[in-house]
């Protein structure tokens, strides 16, 4: 098939485009939000092709994957027709949860696909057909060394996003272990939190270097209160890192017993961080279980198989 999809979520799309199809991504001269084109920081196969919007009417498109409400208007304007449609929802709802109405609710002929069962439960989709295709990860390999007795956190724009990403919890974790916070928009985080910069370092490393940098830290901390299911958490598990995470949204499904410590008690989580820092052998054993769990549930082959079944059903 030839599938039209916008480059919206780089990590998720990296897994999706490993499938057997041709993936058409719009590209505009400014490479703005509606025309980013191919990824610059992820390794995408040559089956991902860039097409300017003005040329899309001449493309044979078998299916469109929508990810944002306004993209249906772009389909009508750029293609002049509506091929079979799938609306992929990456996020948990914000606003009046659990009564938040999904923008795809009521759209004729659309199947709404969620990335977690929690999201499907929380969004109000009305009578729109919904399903779940859980995340898949391109396996980075078991890279954990844990040689640095520090904890890793991955979050973009933690100052702006605040309580949503658990930014206010970082001082408690910084007292338990020195933190390395990776992500965009992390400058000034320690000053914002009133934390010693040595206990809360920030780095925005290229995507190609992130996995190696994470794997050198002893433990991965996931303090996010409200999100979908952070791919950075699943990537850390694939790396063989022990994880410490809030028991919110889909995390309790993703991190089974023995693969990490999951709780809504901050004292339990900070104690776990201290334990992992003090006992590298324990950290390694738990990280191995985390990797096994992630491969079993969020492996790439399962993800692609699930999508293949869905795409065939939609186009049939």
């Amino acid at each position: 098939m030839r599938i039209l999809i916008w480059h919206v979520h780089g990590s998720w799309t990296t897994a999706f485009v490993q499938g057997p199809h041709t993936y058409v991504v719009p590209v505009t001269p400014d490479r703005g939000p509606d025309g980013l084109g191919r990824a610059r920081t992820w390794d995408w196969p040559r089956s991902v092709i860039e097409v300017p919007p003005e040329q899309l009417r001449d493309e044979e498109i078998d299916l469109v994957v929508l990810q944002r409400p306004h993209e249906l208007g772009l389909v009508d304007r750029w293609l002049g027709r509506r091929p079979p449609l799938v609306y992929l929802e990456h996020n948990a709802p914000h606003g009046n949860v659990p009564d938040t109405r999904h923008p795809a609710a009521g759209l004729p002929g659309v199947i709404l696909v969620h990335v977690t069962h929690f999201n499907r439960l929380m969004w109000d989709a009305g009578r729109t057909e919904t399903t779940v295709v859980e995340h898949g990860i391109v396996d980075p390999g078991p890279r954990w060394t844990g040689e640095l007795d520090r904890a890793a956190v991955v979050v973009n724009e933690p100052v702006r996003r605040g309580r949503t990403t658990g930014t206010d919890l970082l001082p408690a974790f910084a007292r338990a272990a020195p933190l390395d916070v990776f992500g965009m928009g992390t400058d000034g985080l320690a000053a914002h939190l009133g934390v010693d910069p040595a206990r809360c370092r920030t780095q925005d490393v290229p995507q190609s270097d992130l996995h190696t940098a994470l794997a050198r830290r002893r433990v991965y901390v996931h303090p996010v209160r409200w999100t979908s299911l952070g791919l950075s958490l699943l990537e850390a598990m694939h790396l063989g890192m022990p994880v410490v995470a809030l028991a919110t949204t889909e995390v309790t499904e993703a991190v089974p017993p023995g693969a990490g410590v999951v709780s809504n008690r901050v004292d339990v989580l900070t104690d776990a961080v201290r334990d992992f820092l003090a006992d590298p052998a324990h950290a390694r054993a738990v990280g191995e279980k985390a990797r096994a769990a992630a491969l079993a549930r969020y492996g790439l082959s399962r993800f692609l198989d699930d999508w293949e079944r869905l795409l065939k059903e939609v186009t049939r």
Side-chain angles (χ1 to χ4, degrees), residues 2 6 13 16 19 39-40 54 59 77 84 88 100 106 114 127 171 181 185 214 217 241 258-259 262 265 280:
R2 294 174 65 83
W6 278 263
T13 309
F16 184 69
R40 302 293 183 87
E54 61 272 17
E59 291 288 323
R77 190 161 70 250
L88 172 66
T100 310
H114 292 288
R127 296 183 178 179
V181 182
L214 288 178
R217 277 69 189 174
M241 299 186 73
V262 176
R265 288 182 51 178

Side-chain angles (χ1 to χ4, degrees), residues 169 172-173 176 219 221-223 243-247 260-276:
L169 303 177
F173 285 108
V219 58
V221 173
H222 190 68
V243 296
V244 172
L246 290 181
V261 177
V262 176
S263 176
N264 286 326
R265 288 182 51 178
V266 176
D267 61 324
V268 170
L269 300 178
T270 53
D271 284 348
V273 169
R274 292 187 182 95
D275 289 343
F276 285 128

Side-chain angles (χ1 to χ4, degrees), residues 92-94 97 118-119 122 153-155 158 161-173 193 221-230 233 244-252 262-266 269:
H94 282 273
V97 181
F118 179 87
N119 291 0
M122 287 297 178
V153 180
V154 177
V155 61
R161 296 168 72 191
R163 286 178 56 83
T164 298
T165 54
T167 305
D168 58 302
L169 303 177
L170 293 181
F173 285 108
L193 296 174
V221 173
H222 190 68
V224 183
R225 277 192 180 88
W226 187 259
T227 184
S228 183
L229 178 58
L233 172 67
V244 172
L246 290 181
T248 56
T249 62
E250 192 85 352
V251 171
T252 55
V262 176
S263 176
N264 286 326
R265 288 182 51 178
V266 176
L269 300 178

Side-chain angles (χ1 to χ4, degrees), residues 93 98 114 116-125 132:
H114 292 288
T116 72
H117 293 276
F118 179 87
N119 291 0
R120 184 186 194 182
L121 182 70
M122 287 297 178
W123 278 106
D124 174 12
V132 176

